[in-house]
Amino acid sequence: MNNEKPLLSVLRGKTTANPPLWLMRQAGRYLPEYRELRAKSASFLDFCYSPAAAAEATLQPIRRFGFDAAILFSDILVIPDALGQKVSFESGAGPRLEPIEAPENLSRLRDVPDYSRLAPVFETVDRVKSALPTQTAFIGFCGAPWTVASYMIAGQGTSDQAPARLFAYRHPEAFDILIEKLTEASIGYLLRQIDAGVEVVQIFDSWAGVLPPREFENWVFSPLRKIVSRIKTERPNAAVIAFARGAGTHLCRLVAELGADAYGLDTAADPVWAAQETAGRAALQGNLDPLALLAGGAALDQEVEAILDALKGHPHIFNLGHGILPQTPIAHVERLVDLIRKSGA
Ligand code: CP3
């Protein structure tokens, strides 16, 4: 009998009757139990650095929906925090960092993350590992260097990452040093998560889609290639999922050259095209529109069916095309779980 966890089998290239399912940002504000737990921590970073609370937040969606994977509860911005940049989260306004406005400001950063600051994250991994159901895979993550740099430079989320793009055009050497630092930090951070007990790591390049081809090459492709190759060399048993949101036709080259086990498709990606272009080379993850899940009803059913049809016969992990929205009704997530569980029958 094959006891392999369904999500791990798919990452090894198997196809399954119904795809394994998890949702990006599955631990979060759409869950009443999350809101209750969150209210007990003074700040979001305190919450991320409290192993008992972070482990509980990781497990909440598993208990409620029985997803095939748990994703570590943390945030991509713990890396700038561990590099010595001031990071805070204002309720309703998103992250705030002390912006990097000029190359001189880079000297405020440490060369390597203060891993002792991240120790609670590894302790969270350890706690979750022993509490997970046997069939549930455990995913760790980091933000990709470009995406993390875009927050570090702007000091907040922006719609077009203009501050980081401008900084990279004006100060390519300084920007390269920052990307290199984040690449090494990401590798060290992911290796430590794997050693603490995650089986899979996902790299979130949420803002990959705004860059022209040359910049995509330098700031997305090249650091991702370094991260994936180091993880694969140093921890060959760990699986890697690369999510380069907005990669568009770059997906073909990512799949051909990155060496990840799976690639996340964003909401706008055509799964029929992606399956054709990548056949046999990697698993695909995605890509339900988070707004279709929020809307529910016929739209949800139709979108789910279209994705299942498009990726039938291909190693597929069902997920959203981006994170679940806080307003999403629980009943719609339950409907999604039902549709996926029954899909292979
Ligand atoms: O459930 C999970 O997916 C695990 C936890 C997780 C969080 N953030 C928790 C979180 C993960 C994987 C992330 C990734 C993350 N964080 C990304 C990449 C994925 C993406 O959505 O593009 C990015 C860009 C961030 C940075 C970030 N963190 C922003 C922009 C915000 C504010 C926007 C928002 O959704 O509120 C956060 C805060 C954050 N991270 C929350 C959660 C649950 C909400 C804060 C709260 O609950 O008080």
Side-chain angles (χ1 to χ4, degrees):
M1 216 182 99
N2 178 9
N3 294 325
E4 196 173 34
K5 301 179 182 188
L7 187 123
L8 299 184
S9 316
V10 170
L11 287 169
R12 296 192 208 294
K14 305 228 172 74
T15 51
T16 45
N18 46 355
L21 166 70
W22 70 281
L23 302 180
M24 290 189 278
R25 297 286 195 101
Q26 67 190 17
R29 287 163 295 182
Y30 74 107
L31 291 175
E33 60 270 34
Y34 171 87
R35 295 194 297 269
E36 196 181 309
L37 183 67
R38 170 74 183 85
K40 294 179 191 156
S41 289
S43 78
F44 181 68
L45 270 185
D46 279 350
F47 185 17
C48 292
Y49 292 144
S50 305
E56 174 59 21
T58 306
L59 292 165
Q60 283 176 341
I62 306 305
R63 278 194 213 109
R64 195 187 260 273
F65 303 113
F67 291 133
D68 294 287
I71 180 157
L72 168 68
F73 187 83
S74 181
D75 197 79
I76 64 168
L77 299 178
V78 299
I79 286 297
D81 180 60
L83 285 170
Q85 191 171 18
K86 286 198 188 96
V87 179
S88 64
F89 289 81
E90 319 226 324
S91 57
R96 289 288 179 273
L97 302 84
E98 186 181 7
I100 295 172
E101 283 158 344
E104 311 73 274
N105 299 158
L106 289 174
S107 64
R108 291 188 208 133
L109 301 176
R110 300 167 54 91
D111 286 336
V112 289
D114 175 2
Y115 283 110
S116 69
R117 205 162 160 76
L118 300 172
V121 177
F122 309 127
E123 194 190 324
T124 304
V125 172
D126 189 58
R127 287 183 186 225
V128 169
K129 182 176 65 175
S130 51
L132 277 180
T134 50
Q135 73 282 8
T136 314
F138 192 7
I139 304 175
F141 71 94
C142 70
W146 160 248
T147 288
V148 174
S150 77
Y151 287 94
M152 292 177 78
I153 290 189
Q156 59 183 48
T158 57
S159 58
D160 56 2
Q161 292 67 56
R165 288 158 64 192
L166 275 172
F167 189 104
Y169 287 126
R170 288 179 176 145
H171 315 291
E173 279 154 28
F175 193 68
D176 195 47
I177 290 171
L178 177 59
I179 291 288
E180 270 295 317
K181 186 177 292 210
L182 290 169
T183 301
E184 284 306 313
S186 305
I187 292 166
Y189 184 44
L190 293 179
L191 290 175
R192 284 167 174 81
Q193 290 182 40
I194 294 164
D195 292 343
V198 306
E199 301 158 300
V200 181
V201 290
Q202 172 155 324
I203 309 164
F204 286 88
D205 218 342
S206 303
W207 299 117
V210 298
L211 295 173
R214 247 169 50 91
E215 283 62 37
F216 188 92
E217 176 69 34
N218 291 339
W219 314 131
V220 171
F221 196 80
S222 162
L224 288 181
R225 189 169 38 202
K226 283 185 200 150
I227 298 172
V228 176
S229 99
R230 282 276 292 286
I231 301 294
K232 282 290 174 189
T233 312
E234 297 191 24
R235 301 294 183 276
N237 291 328
V240 179
I241 305 173
F243 178 53
R245 191 164 73 96
T249 55
H250 291 299
L251 177 74
C252 302
R253 213 176 131 221
L254 291 171
V255 171
E257 295 178 35
L258 219 54
D261 301 277
Y263 295 83
L265 302 179
D266 61 68
T267 302
D270 176 359
V272 174
W273 169 85
Q276 272 165 9
E277 292 296 324
T278 66
R281 280 185 292 185
L284 294 173
Q285 174 172 280
N287 70 338
L288 179 67
D289 185 350
L291 286 171
L293 183 60
L294 198 164
L300 172 60
D301 289 20
Q302 287 158 8
E303 294 299 314
V304 169
E305 197 186 320
I307 293 165
L308 289 171
D309 275 356
L311 294 171
K312 212 189 199 97
H314 195 99
H316 177 209
I317 299 165
F318 202 97
N319 205 315
L320 298 171
H322 197 196
I324 189 167
L325 295 160
Q327 312 88 314
T328 306
I330 301 281
H332 297 182
V333 182
E334 289 168 349
R335 172 71 183 162
L336 171 64
V337 172
D338 243 33
L339 288 170
I340 300 302
R341 297 297 183 222
K342 290 187 188 132
S343 62

